[in-house]
Amino acid sequence: MKYLIIGLGNIGHEYELTRHNIGFQVLDQLAAEQQVKFQIDRLALVTSFSYKGRSLYLIKPTTYMNLSGKAAQYWINKLKISIENTLTIVDDLALPFGKLRLRSQGSSAGHNGLKSMEMQLQTQAYPRLRFGIGNNFSKGQQANYVLARFQDQELSLLASPINQACEIIRSFCTLGITRTMEYSNTEVATT
């Protein structure tokens, strides 16, 4: 059984540790735990590993956020993985900082990475793990907020929800989305 885990973010040093790149950060943690390294390949940084009889492929699109769906579609086709066996990790302004929410489908809610996924996949019915980054910004400052680096106090609190996100990914690939949603859609204590 094969699974494709898609971490959304932007490539480049200037985007490292930004709120918009939390999908990359989760995949970096999962890869580190499995002691695998990302390699540049077509439209993405890619790595893979086996876990409990499953093959997990991790991609960090190199297309920038607005074209994430192009990379996802390419790797879904190349690896012959059904959309139900994909999981997209995405930042979410509507969720409190550190809160995780697993969903089997849903709208883009204005997120450019998810808009690209919808356009390329021609559906809103693809699993995603929404990672709350909070919404502590002034009117008109949304873009600056998501593209800003996490504050030091936030960085110190990220380890727990990132670790939980990695556990959700492993559970999704072994137990399935329904059972994983039953236990995972809870708030992470970050303060």
Side-chain angles (χ1 to χ4, degrees), residues 75-106:
W75 286 96
I76 287 168
N77 291 341
K78 179 179 173 67
L79 297 169
K80 297 178 174 59
I81 294 176
S82 69
I83 290 176
E84 297 77 30
N85 283 6
T86 69
L87 182 59
T88 300
I89 318 301
V90 61
D91 61 290
D92 195 315
L93 287 165
L95 290 176
F97 177 85
K99 183 169 182 173
L100 302 172
R101 184 162 293 146
L102 183 62
R103 290 284 183 254
S104 60
Q105 61 184 351

Side-chain angles (χ1 to χ4, degrees), residues 13-77:
H13 178 71
E14 65 271 32
Y15 296 109
E16 288 176 11
L17 299 180
T18 62
R19 294 178 180 93
H20 222 22
N21 269 32
I22 195 66
F24 280 15
Q25 291 176 55
V26 170
L27 265 56
D28 286 342
Q29 175 67 30
L30 188 58
E33 288 174 7
Q34 298 297 320
Q35 299 180 338
V36 294
K37 302 266 189 223
F38 285 93
Q39 303 292 327
I40 188 74
D41 205 325
R42 180 106 187 258
L43 303 175
L45 295 165
V46 181
T47 192
S48 63
F49 60 90
S50 294
Y51 179 75
K52 295 190 176 181
R54 275 80 169 170
S55 297
L56 278 67
Y57 295 85
L58 314 182
I59 67 166
K60 300 190 296 183
T62 55
T63 53
Y64 291 98
M65 186 67 80
N66 295 358
L67 296 174
S68 299
K70 186 175 180 184
Q73 185 67 63
Y74 173 81
W75 286 96
I76 287 168
N77 291 341

